[in-house]
Amino acid sequence: AVADGLTKPRAEGGWGGNAFTLWVDTDRVNDGTYWPYADEMVNIATRNKAYVTFGWHAANDQEHPSHIDSAGIAAMRQVAARYRNNPAVLYTTQIEPGPGVPDNRLLSWSELKPWQEQTIEAIRAESPNAVIAYSGTSWSQNFGALLADPIIRPNLMVQPHIYNHEGYGTLTELLNDRQVSALAARWPVVIGEFGSNAFPAELLRYADSQGIS
């Protein structure tokens, strides 16, 4: 499996990574086809002393919904119940809130926040000590409103995704736009994704220097 090669120690021919993300698809959870694959990924993470992050991302064969819905929250609760208090398992409320169903537009933070809070509560109902990352708006690339009105719970992280679709000329300009330093000054930050257009080598050095995962 790709995840096994990613997390296997370099001395054993792997990449030596310590984390990977697994999408949660409401339909696959509900029909049961999700679990053999998910169980395998948790076993790989445990065997290689790594982490697997479960993040909701799809329903009805559509990715990037505008927000997680009640069925998605129920699916995340099932995941949390299955892997209750497993130290190898982390969570993300939603991977990249986008312009998809049901609203077919990008939501504001005031609209998105209650759904993410409900997701956190559902996960914590099954796994009280779970470490959970939550997303900003607009593909998890906008955090201005979140900084003014954050979710306050223990054991939370903020998860920006760093892509340079605007064509900024420097990493500093890009990070200033994404407000990454402001986030990292207040909360643990984990960069969920980044693109080849986001000055990746420089970005990784910056993340190391700031204690960002």
Side-chain angles (χ1 to χ4, degrees):
V2 171
D4 198 29
L6 174 67
T7 57
K8 187 179 293 184
R10 289 179 181 273
E12 298 176 19
W15 287 18
N18 65 355
F20 58 93
T21 296
L22 194 63
W23 291 358
V24 175
D25 182 312
T26 299
D27 303 314
R28 303 293 84 76
V29 169
N30 290 339
D31 68 17
T33 58
Y34 187 73
W35 301 119
Y37 181 64
D39 288 347
E40 180 186 3
M41 296 300 103
V42 171
N43 289 336
I44 287 171
T46 302
R47 181 170 65 245
N48 292 330
K49 298 180 180 179
Y51 298 99
V52 54
T53 298
F54 287 93
W56 188 80
H57 187 62
N60 301 316
D61 295 319
Q62 296 195 52
E63 299 176 17
H64 303 294
S66 57
H67 66 78
I68 189 170
D69 58 8
S70 57
I73 292 171
M76 289 295 288
R77 183 163 182 166
Q78 288 188 60
V79 174
R82 191 177 186 92
Y83 305 116
R84 180 180 291 115
N85 297 325
N86 187 323
V89 175
L90 310 176
Y91 300 90
T92 294
T93 52
Q94 180 178 353
I95 299 172
E96 291 192 339
V101 295
D103 300 282
N104 298 312
R105 62 182 176 85
L106 295 170
L107 298 190
S108 68
W109 177 240
S110 63
E111 294 171 307
L112 185 63
K113 181 184 177 185
W115 292 103
Q116 300 215 38
E117 290 178 314
Q118 290 177 51
T119 308
I120 292 166
E121 290 162 6
I123 294 168
R124 291 273 169 80
E126 301 294 342
S127 190
N129 298 316
V131 176
I132 305 170
Y134 69 101
S135 302
T137 59
S138 304
W139 313 93
S140 201
Q141 296 188 70
N142 189 314
F143 290 89
L146 182 155
L147 281 161
D149 183 26
I151 297 174
I152 305 298
R153 302 282 195 286
N155 291 340
L156 291 186
M157 306 182 291
V158 181
Q159 186 176 87
H161 287 189
I162 311 296
Y163 292 93
N164 188 15
H165 300 308
E166 301 88 344
Y168 288 112
T170 67
L171 177 65
T172 298
E173 291 175 294
L174 176 60
L175 295 181
N176 285 344
D177 181 79
R178 302 294 185 265
Q179 298 178 295
V180 173
S181 295
L183 294 171
R186 297 174 62 181
W187 305 289
V189 170
V190 55
I191 297 175
E193 298 178 14
F194 60 89
S196 59
N197 59 359
F199 314 98
E202 190 179 351
L203 175 62
L204 291 175
R205 289 194 295 271
Y206 166 83
D208 286 341
S209 73
Q210 300 299 311
I212 294 173
S213 298

